[in-house]
Amino acid sequence: MDRSSVVGDSRSIQSNQQGPHERLLDIVKRHQQHPFRKPIAAFNQAAFEHASQWRQQRPQAPLILDAGCGVGVSTRQLALQFPEHLVIGVDRSEDRLSRRLGTLPENALLVRADLVDFWRLAEQAGWQPERQYVLYPNPYPKASQVKLRWHGHPVFPSMLTLGGRLESRSNWLLYLEEMALVLEFMGHSPVELSRLPETQLAASPLTPFERKYHLSGQPLWQLCINL
């Protein structure tokens, strides 16, 4: 979720956690036992219907979901990288989406919606994206915020049900280590967790955050799994 275009001044994540949250798997178990039933907001339903109608222009094209796309740089980059795919970037911030950088290719769409509803609507509609990207999500680094991290949120099972190749990136290794722990606990493996190569980051950063963190000298990490 890109929130800034400032380059090279980012601090490393500070947290009162030294390892995976001690209650994380208990939280995940509870979510599995009690499915998420929060009502869908009307504006999210409308946004999903708009995205569904847009998909009909090329109904046979494979789909990529760019979750938390911010200003849309990653959505545009992915659309250029995968010209035979349709790429939908979703972000809840009207301000970030209004600051999109550059013209979008014809195979890309930006949608303002809350992912908590969008993922569930996609699950209900039977969407099966070929790829899902969750790039530099808000880390919510305080231990008390663990339920706000995607892997600690009750919507996470819905996102996993969509399937495809999931790729998440972060400048906080522990975030991805926790996500890997939850994925394996839920029966998804093998999980690939690695540091992003310096050459890749210098040549083609996927988001403004990725560029800023790299120029600030922070190591960046990537989780990949075929769901």
Side-chain angles (χ1 to χ4, degrees):
M1 301 177 186
D2 296 313
R3 304 172 188 79
S4 173
S5 59
V6 179
V7 171
D9 63 349
S10 295
R11 296 180 180 180
S12 299
I13 299 293
Q14 301 297 313
S15 175
N16 56 350
Q17 278 187 234
Q18 301 304 310
H21 197 285
E22 60 183 8
R23 293 183 53 242
L24 179 59
L25 295 185
D26 289 334
I27 292 169
V28 173
K29 287 179 187 177
R30 189 158 59 249
H31 292 163
Q32 289 179 309
Q33 295 167 355
H34 304 284
F36 195 38
R37 302 196 185 281
K38 179 183 176 182
I40 301 290
F43 81 91
N44 289 324
Q45 181 74 56
F48 181 78
E49 290 173 0
H50 170 65
S52 296
Q53 292 171 3
W54 179 80
R55 281 194 70 193
Q56 293 308 308
Q57 64 174 304
R58 289 170 56 186
Q60 302 305 316
L63 176 66
I64 295 174
L65 287 182
D66 182 17
C69 65
V71 296
V73 170
S74 53
T75 304
R76 186 183 72 221
Q77 297 254 80
L78 291 168
L80 293 172
Q81 184 179 347
F82 299 97
E84 301 304 316
H85 293 61
L86 293 180
V87 184
I88 297 178
V90 183
D91 201 278
R92 66 182 177 182
S93 170
E94 183 176 10
D95 176 65
R96 286 193 289 269
L97 290 172
S98 68
R99 291 186 283 114
R100 72 184 190 193
L101 306 178
T103 302
L104 283 178
E106 292 184 357
N107 64 323
L109 175 72
L110 297 180
V111 177
R112 185 195 173 205
D114 190 327
L115 284 163
V116 171
D117 284 357
F118 198 92
W119 273 326
R120 289 187 292 157
L121 288 166
E123 179 188 22
Q124 292 169 17
W127 282 20
Q128 294 183 309
E130 185 177 284
R131 292 171 176 265
Q132 297 192 67
Y133 288 84
V134 183
L135 302 172
Y136 303 95
N138 191 327
Y140 293 108
K142 295 180 181 179
S144 60
Q145 298 173 316
V146 63
K147 293 181 182 179
L148 298 177
R149 302 169 197 162
W150 285 131
H151 49 270
H153 194 285
V155 79
F156 196 58
S158 292
M159 188 266 274
L160 299 183
T161 298
L162 298 179
R165 181 170 178 79
L166 170 64
E167 180 174 331
S168 186
R169 297 183 185 183
S170 180
N171 62 328
W172 190 30
L173 178 58
L174 182 55
Y175 188 99
L176 297 183
E177 289 177 336
E178 283 193 343
M179 185 180 288
L181 185 66
V182 172
L183 286 165
E184 291 172 344
F185 176 77
M186 296 178 71
H188 298 281
S189 62
V191 180
E192 304 168 19
L193 185 55
S194 60
R195 183 170 173 173
L196 285 164
E198 295 287 323
T199 52
Q200 177 181 337
L201 293 168
S204 56
L206 261 183
T207 79
F209 270 163
E210 186 160 280
R211 180 169 180 261
K212 181 173 68 170
Y213 295 152
H214 173 59
L215 292 177
S216 298
Q218 297 186 35
L220 304 181
W221 306 90
Q222 174 180 263
L223 176 150
C224 294
I225 184 171
N226 293 315
L227 296 172

PDB file of all heavy atoms in Angstrom, residues 170-183:
ATOM      1  N   SER A 170       8.086  -7.437   1.683  1.00  0.00           N
ATOM      2  CA  SER A 170       8.093  -6.580   2.860  1.00  0.00           C
ATOM      3  C   SER A 170       9.518  -6.215   3.226  1.00  0.00           C
ATOM      4  O   SER A 170      10.465  -6.930   2.886  1.00  0.00           O
ATOM      5  CB  SER A 170       7.419  -7.300   4.042  1.00  0.00           C
ATOM      6  OG  SER A 170       7.408  -6.490   5.208  1.00  0.00           O
ATOM      7  N   ASN A 171       9.649  -5.090   3.939  1.00  0.00           N
ATOM      8  CA  ASN A 171      10.949  -4.744   4.509  1.00  0.00           C
ATOM      9  C   ASN A 171      11.057  -5.212   5.954  1.00  0.00           C
ATOM     10  O   ASN A 171      12.034  -4.920   6.638  1.00  0.00           O
ATOM     11  CB  ASN A 171      11.190  -3.235   4.437  1.00  0.00           C
ATOM     12  CG  ASN A 171      10.181  -2.436   5.236  1.00  0.00           C
ATOM     13  OD1 ASN A 171       9.013  -2.829   5.362  1.00  0.00           O
ATOM     14  ND2 ASN A 171      10.597  -1.293   5.764  1.00  0.00           N
ATOM     15  N   TRP A 172      10.054  -5.956   6.420  1.00  0.00           N
ATOM     16  CA  TRP A 172      10.060  -6.538   7.764  1.00  0.00           C
ATOM     17  C   TRP A 172       9.996  -8.048   7.623  1.00  0.00           C
ATOM     18  O   TRP A 172       8.945  -8.616   7.348  1.00  0.00           O
ATOM     19  CB  TRP A 172       8.876  -6.008   8.569  1.00  0.00           C
ATOM     20  CG  TRP A 172       8.925  -6.357  10.032  1.00  0.00           C
ATOM     21  CD1 TRP A 172      10.038  -6.542  10.797  1.00  0.00           C
ATOM     22  CD2 TRP A 172       7.802  -6.555  10.896  1.00  0.00           C
ATOM     23  NE1 TRP A 172       9.690  -6.850  12.091  1.00  0.00           N
ATOM     24  CE2 TRP A 172       8.331  -6.853  12.185  1.00  0.00           C
ATOM     25  CE3 TRP A 172       6.423  -6.504  10.713  1.00  0.00           C
ATOM     26  CZ2 TRP A 172       7.497  -7.105  13.283  1.00  0.00           C
ATOM     27  CZ3 TRP A 172       5.610  -6.753  11.812  1.00  0.00           C
ATOM     28  CH2 TRP A 172       6.131  -7.035  13.078  1.00  0.00           C
ATOM     29  N   LEU A 173      11.128  -8.700   7.791  1.00  0.00           N
ATOM     30  CA  LEU A 173      11.210 -10.139   7.582  1.00  0.00           C
ATOM     31  C   LEU A 173      10.230 -10.893   8.463  1.00  0.00           C
ATOM     32  O   LEU A 173       9.627 -11.881   8.032  1.00  0.00           O
ATOM     33  CB  LEU A 173      12.644 -10.622   7.843  1.00  0.00           C
ATOM     34  CG  LEU A 173      12.886 -12.130   7.714  1.00  0.00           C
ATOM     35  CD1 LEU A 173      12.514 -12.648   6.335  1.00  0.00           C
ATOM     36  CD2 LEU A 173      14.349 -12.456   8.044  1.00  0.00           C
ATOM     37  N   LEU A 174      10.038 -10.451   9.692  1.00  0.00           N
ATOM     38  CA  LEU A 174       9.161 -11.160  10.613  1.00  0.00           C
ATOM     39  C   LEU A 174       7.726 -11.225  10.088  1.00  0.00           C
ATOM     40  O   LEU A 174       7.025 -12.215  10.319  1.00  0.00           O
ATOM     41  CB  LEU A 174       9.190 -10.495  11.995  1.00  0.00           C
ATOM     42  CG  LEU A 174       8.355 -11.163  13.090  1.00  0.00           C
ATOM     43  CD1 LEU A 174       8.740 -12.628  13.256  1.00  0.00           C
ATOM     44  CD2 LEU A 174       8.491 -10.413  14.412  1.00  0.00           C
ATOM     45  N   TYR A 175       7.286 -10.211   9.379  1.00  0.00           N
ATOM     46  CA  TYR A 175       5.940 -10.224   8.799  1.00  0.00           C
ATOM     47  C   TYR A 175       5.785 -11.426   7.869  1.00  0.00           C
ATOM     48  O   TYR A 175       4.798 -12.170   7.944  1.00  0.00           O
ATOM     49  CB  TYR A 175       5.690  -8.924   8.036  1.00  0.00           C
ATOM     50  CG  TYR A 175       4.270  -8.744   7.551  1.00  0.00           C
ATOM     51  CD1 TYR A 175       3.364  -7.949   8.268  1.00  0.00           C
ATOM     52  CD2 TYR A 175       3.810  -9.338   6.377  1.00  0.00           C
ATOM     53  CE1 TYR A 175       2.057  -7.773   7.831  1.00  0.00           C
ATOM     54  CE2 TYR A 175       2.511  -9.168   5.936  1.00  0.00           C
ATOM     55  CZ  TYR A 175       1.635  -8.388   6.669  1.00  0.00           C
ATOM     56  OH  TYR A 175       0.341  -8.229   6.228  1.00  0.00           O
ATOM     57  N   LEU A 176       6.767 -11.622   6.997  1.00  0.00           N
ATOM     58  CA  LEU A 176       6.695 -12.732   6.048  1.00  0.00           C
ATOM     59  C   LEU A 176       6.948 -14.070   6.723  1.00  0.00           C
ATOM     60  O   LEU A 176       6.399 -15.093   6.305  1.00  0.00           O
ATOM     61  CB  LEU A 176       7.686 -12.503   4.907  1.00  0.00           C
ATOM     62  CG  LEU A 176       7.414 -11.254   4.052  1.00  0.00           C
ATOM     63  CD1 LEU A 176       8.426 -11.170   2.914  1.00  0.00           C
ATOM     64  CD2 LEU A 176       5.991 -11.243   3.498  1.00  0.00           C
ATOM     65  N   GLU A 177       7.771 -14.088   7.760  1.00  0.00           N
ATOM     66  CA  GLU A 177       7.968 -15.330   8.515  1.00  0.00           C
ATOM     67  C   GLU A 177       6.664 -15.760   9.182  1.00  0.00           C
ATOM     68  O   GLU A 177       6.330 -16.950   9.205  1.00  0.00           O
ATOM     69  CB  GLU A 177       9.066 -15.142   9.557  1.00  0.00           C
ATOM     70  CG  GLU A 177      10.460 -15.035   8.954  1.00  0.00           C
ATOM     71  CD  GLU A 177      11.530 -14.769   9.990  1.00  0.00           C
ATOM     72  OE1 GLU A 177      11.211 -14.227  11.068  1.00  0.00           O
ATOM     73  OE2 GLU A 177      12.702 -15.098   9.719  1.00  0.00           O
ATOM     74  N   GLU A 178       5.918 -14.799   9.704  1.00  0.00           N
ATOM     75  CA  GLU A 178       4.612 -15.119  10.278  1.00  0.00           C
ATOM     76  C   GLU A 178       3.650 -15.612   9.206  1.00  0.00           C
ATOM     77  O   GLU A 178       2.909 -16.579   9.418  1.00  0.00           O
ATOM     78  CB  GLU A 178       4.019 -13.882  10.970  1.00  0.00           C
ATOM     79  CG  GLU A 178       4.601 -13.565  12.320  1.00  0.00           C
ATOM     80  CD  GLU A 178       3.776 -12.535  13.067  1.00  0.00           C
ATOM     81  OE1 GLU A 178       2.937 -11.836  12.430  1.00  0.00           O
ATOM     82  OE2 GLU A 178       3.963 -12.404  14.288  1.00  0.00           O
ATOM     83  N   MET A 179       3.641 -14.950   8.056  1.00  0.00           N
ATOM     84  CA  MET A 179       2.760 -15.377   6.975  1.00  0.00           C
ATOM     85  C   MET A 179       3.100 -16.800   6.541  1.00  0.00           C
ATOM     86  O   MET A 179       2.200 -17.624   6.307  1.00  0.00           O
ATOM     87  CB  MET A 179       2.866 -14.417   5.781  1.00  0.00           C
ATOM     88  CG  MET A 179       1.878 -14.746   4.661  1.00  0.00           C
ATOM     89  SD  MET A 179       1.985 -13.615   3.246  1.00  0.00           S
ATOM     90  CE  MET A 179       1.258 -12.130   3.944  1.00  0.00           C
ATOM     91  N   ALA A 180       4.384 -17.107   6.436  1.00  0.00           N
ATOM     92  CA  ALA A 180       4.803 -18.463   6.059  1.00  0.00           C
ATOM     93  C   ALA A 180       4.339 -19.476   7.102  1.00  0.00           C
ATOM     94  O   ALA A 180       3.886 -20.581   6.766  1.00  0.00           O
ATOM     95  CB  ALA A 180       6.325 -18.519   5.905  1.00  0.00           C
ATOM     96  N   LEU A 181       4.437 -19.115   8.369  1.00  0.00           N
ATOM     97  CA  LEU A 181       4.003 -19.996   9.450  1.00  0.00           C
ATOM     98  C   LEU A 181       2.507 -20.311   9.333  1.00  0.00           C
ATOM     99  O   LEU A 181       2.083 -21.458   9.464  1.00  0.00           O
ATOM    100  CB  LEU A 181       4.300 -19.328  10.795  1.00  0.00           C
ATOM    101  CG  LEU A 181       4.025 -20.140  12.061  1.00  0.00           C
ATOM    102  CD1 LEU A 181       4.952 -21.339  12.144  1.00  0.00           C
ATOM    103  CD2 LEU A 181       4.199 -19.254  13.302  1.00  0.00           C
ATOM    104  N   VAL A 182       1.712 -19.273   9.046  1.00  0.00           N
ATOM    105  CA  VAL A 182       0.264 -19.457   8.916  1.00  0.00           C
ATOM    106  C   VAL A 182      -0.065 -20.293   7.676  1.00  0.00           C
ATOM    107  O   VAL A 182      -0.914 -21.193   7.720  1.00  0.00           O
ATOM    108  CB  VAL A 182      -0.450 -18.095   8.862  1.00  0.00           C
ATOM    109  CG1 VAL A 182      -1.928 -18.267   8.519  1.00  0.00           C
ATOM    110  CG2 VAL A 182      -0.297 -17.358  10.186  1.00  0.00           C
ATOM    111  N   LEU A 183       0.608 -20.012   6.574  1.00  0.00           N
ATOM    112  CA  LEU A 183       0.369 -20.780   5.347  1.00  0.00           C
ATOM    113  C   LEU A 183       0.633 -22.266   5.567  1.00  0.00           C
ATOM    114  O   LEU A 183      -0.168 -23.121   5.177  1.00  0.00           O
ATOM    115  CB  LEU A 183       1.249 -20.241   4.221  1.00  0.00           C
ATOM    116  CG  LEU A 183       0.821 -18.907   3.612  1.00  0.00           C
ATOM    117  CD1 LEU A 183       1.957 -18.306   2.780  1.00  0.00           C
ATOM    118  CD2 LEU A 183      -0.420 -19.081   2.740  1.00  0.00           C
TER     119      LEU A 183
END
